[in-house]
Amino acid sequence: MTSMSRARVARRIAAGAAYGGGGVGLVGAATVGVILAEVRLARRHVGNGARGRVPVADGVYGGSYRTPGEPPLRLAMLGDSTAAGQGVHRSGQTPGALLASGLSAVAERPVELRNVAQTGARSDDLDRQVGLVLADPSAVPDICVIMVGANDVTNRMPPTRSVRHLSAAVRRLRTAGAEVVVGTCPDLGTIEPVQQPLRWLARRASRQLAAAQTIGVVEQGGRTVSLGDLLGPEFAANPRELFGPDNYHPSAEGYATAAMAVLPTVCAALGLWPAEEERPDVSRREGFLPVARAAAEAAEEAGTEVTAAMPTGPRGPWALLKRRRRRRVAEPEPSSERAPTTRPT
């Protein structure tokens, strides 16, 4: 599917989400039987990552930066098992811990991490998770990172419904005063046990959903980072290194790769990234595009950021597409003095 075709499909899905439609599908009805059969086989083989326990990484990172009278930055993680950190055994290997440590180093301030992501969650669980994050009006996060979408595809949630739930979550968080960064749906066509024709269909469905998610998020004032190709060429080339033991969730190295892609956008959302890097770099094919086209292009390349630019243009709202450089994130440990714990799946 071409970038322009994906942009049209994404625009229709996002419009359906905004106006209450539900009939826009990701794949044709004739393929549903084949997909379901292949999904059942793949799930039996990889277990869908349902076994094991998820490390709890909640705590304060960068305690050495503590300044009397200055509160830590608050970072919240929401979404599914990828946001929770399913597949690794140590809290410092989870994406939340990696992002908190990296953000602390850039901001030179402590960062308090709270992770409410739930293994197996779909986008319709975000309303509950946002409620947890905003339960205390005096402790609204400075920045929220959402990773969601994979379970929406595998459970055949209508994409308009998926985007509607995500957009509503972003709107609530932004209204409360939090910045929001969404890691869009990963490329499910790269899961090692998945065979054709499901592999091609899963790739197509997940990238279409990622593009539609981007439109919905940007319209609500959030930013997105494409995770698709992080589970694409890099994961396909190094499946034993970048996938965890269940061959479904990322390993510690895989989560570090994802955190490197998301961290620059988290810092930029908080005004912490170097000003010179905020200008579009033509040599990296960055620039201003209609939001649907930017969303489609972002779905094709991991680490690509999309954020709102101009509210109107010749072809509707426009967005800024950035391909930020990735920087290595060292595995952290929380500075709070308590024993590591695990979250039941």
Side-chain angles (χ1 to χ4, degrees), residues 107-129:
E108 297 186 342
R109 285 178 62 183
V111 173
E112 182 180 355
L113 170 67
R114 185 183 183 196
N115 195 327
V116 299
Q118 179 66 48
T119 296
R122 305 180 305 181
S123 294
D124 55 3
D125 189 52
L126 290 176
D127 182 64
R128 180 190 66 84
Q129 294 182 26

Side-chain angles (χ1 to χ4, degrees), residues 7 37 50-51 53 59 73 81 91 105 119 121 127-128 158 182 209 219 222 258 266 278 281 307 343:
R51 291 185 292 274
R53 300 176 71 84
L73 289 171
S81 55
S91 61
T119 296
D127 182 64
R128 180 190 66 84
V182 174
L209 178 57
E219 287 179 345
V266 168
E278 293 307 294
D281 186 338
T307 186
R343 179 188 295 121

Side-chain angles (χ1 to χ4, degrees), residues 45-121:
H45 186 80
V46 304
N48 206 25
R51 291 185 292 274
R53 300 176 71 84
V54 180
V56 173
D58 293 19
V60 177
Y61 293 77
S64 60
Y65 295 114
R66 194 181 303 275
T67 301
E70 185 177 26
L73 289 171
R74 296 189 180 96
L75 165 65
M77 296 289 297
L78 305 88
D80 56 23
S81 55
T82 303
Q86 176 76 37
V88 295
H89 302 291
R90 292 162 53 182
S91 61
Q93 297 171 329
T94 62
L98 293 166
L99 287 171
S101 178
L103 176 59
S104 175
V106 174
E108 297 186 342
R109 285 178 62 183
V111 173
E112 182 180 355
L113 170 67
R114 185 183 183 196
N115 195 327
V116 299
Q118 179 66 48
T119 296

